[in-house]
Amino acid sequence: MKLNLNIVPLSSWLNTGKEPLIISGPCSAETEEQLLATAHLLAATGKVSVLRAGIWKPRTRPGEFEGIGSIGLEWLKRAKEETGLPTAVEVATAKHVEEALAGGVDILWVGARSTANPFTVQEIADALKGVDIPVLVKNPINPDLALWIGALERINNAGITKLGAIHRGFSSYEKTSFRNEPMWDLAIQLKTIAPDLPIVNDPSHICGNRELIPYISQKALDLDMQGLMIESHIDPSVAWTDAKQQLTPAALAELVERLTLRKADSDNPVFDDQLATLRSEIDKLDTAIIQKIGERMKIVEKIGEFKRDNNVTILQVSRWDEIVEKRTGMASALSLDKDFTVKFLELVHNESIRKQNEIMNKKPSVEA
Ligand code: PEP
Ligand code: MN
């Protein structure tokens, strides 16, 4: 499936001269001094293309700092006048959209909590009808690709063609070293079905801490994402929101300096030749794997008929345990990751069960 979005290239609405594309600024605009000082230092690094700042903040519990509100738009305007950096804010209601547009904000983004709610996204989309402004849509809080796509479609249907996505990770019950699990496969799936849609990675919200930000930033670039949104504060230790995941402008500059930029293609013919040879080996192996899986499924079908005719259950836990144990042992001797092997076996096993179920519940043709 390919997504049918009506979009224009990123380079037509943003100066993409600086690579990688960096969107940075504080999680929240707190005071005029804090915003202006951060903006000036970020601009001075020469590495930042867009200044971000949260003006209206979605907070989990009431009573916490919920954003400075509309006054922050004036500070942002001043920051833009003084630094030349285009500005970006999060909008979550029609009123936010109206105020941000009136305040001269250059780019809007839809936050993760809003993307998860189609009513909210539709309200934002309706407020954007007839407006020509770039909009970035963060992934929803929960790992649901359809919700992310749905939000992009709603905004696009409102006539927004300067569109992009932000990958900020997903909430997960399991506690890991990330604040929000990257679940890269969801961003990769989005990229696969909408190859022209720019995707910016947000390492700050994925990591929830400064330490992991370089690792996630590099990985995002290696996956050919179009840019990074990283929170930066003049003094992160006293930030009113998301203190642990913001970098000083100097640390941000150092991080960007250390990133390795790779291209989607090479212009070296020797590399291209070697890559083509290796890819043809992969093609052969993939063909062999699929052929073998086909052969395996034929035997599964025979077993299914055999079990049906002898009234034996499809699932035999002891056999499954034995398969997992033997195969993972073999796989680890070949340096294959255990998790990967188990997932692969489960996939094959589930398909085998589905096939056998089909066979069990189909009346034998002899009765006809
Ligand atoms: C933010 O960018 O500060 C923010 C609130 O992000 P998210 O919607 O990803 O939680
Ligand atoms: Mn934040």
Side-chain angles (χ1 to χ4, degrees), residues 130-174:
V131 180
D132 182 25
I133 189 166
V135 179
L136 303 172
V137 179
K138 286 206 176 194
N139 66 253
I141 293 269
N142 50 323
D144 185 337
L145 181 62
L147 266 179
W148 199 2
I149 291 173
L152 286 158
E153 286 176 324
R154 283 177 201 276
I155 303 290
N156 194 221
N157 288 345
I160 298 294
T161 54
K162 297 168 179 167
L163 192 64
I166 302 178
H167 171 224
R168 52 79 78 196
F170 301 86
S171 188
S172 125
Y173 182 67
E174 225 176 291

Side-chain angles (χ1 to χ4, degrees), residues 15-197:
N15 182 351
T16 46
K18 285 179 199 144
E19 284 188 52
L21 168 71
I22 303 290
I23 302 174
S24 188
C27 175
S28 300
E30 298 164 5
T31 65
E32 186 167 20
E33 296 67 39
Q34 167 252 5
L35 184 65
L36 286 175
T38 309
H40 275 285
L41 287 175
L42 286 174
T45 65
K47 300 195 185 301
V48 175
S49 297
V50 178
L51 175 68
R52 65 147 278 158
I55 300 291
W56 301 285
K57 300 301 298 178
R59 303 310 300 275
T60 306
R61 300 188 58 197
E64 296 176 332
F65 172 62
E66 295 195 318
I68 208 70
S70 323
I71 182 81
L73 295 171
E74 289 170 31
W75 307 342
L76 267 175
K77 201 182 227 171
R78 208 174 140 195
K80 179 184 171 176
E81 276 162 15
E82 293 182 10
T83 64
L85 290 175
T87 55
V89 299
E90 172 178 349
V91 288
T93 65
K95 193 161 179 288
H96 294 167
V97 173
E98 281 154 27
E99 289 193 27
L101 292 174
V105 172
D106 298 289
I107 299 171
L108 306 179
W109 86 79
V110 177
R113 290 154 193 81
S114 301
T115 306
N117 182 347
F119 285 135
T120 300
V121 178
Q122 194 56 53
E123 180 185 323
I124 296 169
D126 290 343
L128 285 167
K129 280 199 181 121
V131 180
D132 182 25
I133 189 166
V135 179
L136 303 172
V137 179
K138 286 206 176 194
N139 66 253
I141 293 269
N142 50 323
D144 185 337
L145 181 62
L147 266 179
W148 199 2
I149 291 173
L152 286 158
E153 286 176 324
R154 283 177 201 276
I155 303 290
N156 194 221
N157 288 345
I160 298 294
T161 54
K162 297 168 179 167
L163 192 64
I166 302 178
H167 171 224
R168 52 79 78 196
F170 301 86
S171 188
S172 125
Y173 182 67
E174 225 176 291
K175 283 290 150 246
T176 69
S177 36
F178 297 111
R179 177 180 176 194
N180 291 293
E181 278 301 300
M183 301 189 191
W184 296 100
D185 52 321
L186 289 173
I188 292 168
Q189 279 180 53
L190 180 64
K191 207 172 172 44
T192 311
I193 62 167
D196 299 330
L197 181 75

Side-chain angles (χ1 to χ4, degrees), residues 26-28 52 57 138 179 204-205 231 241-242 245-246:
C27 175
S28 300
R52 65 147 278 158
K57 300 301 298 178
K138 286 206 176 194
R179 177 180 176 194
S204 286
H205 287 89
E231 290 182 333
T241 55
D242 288 351
Q245 62 187 42
Q246 305 203 53

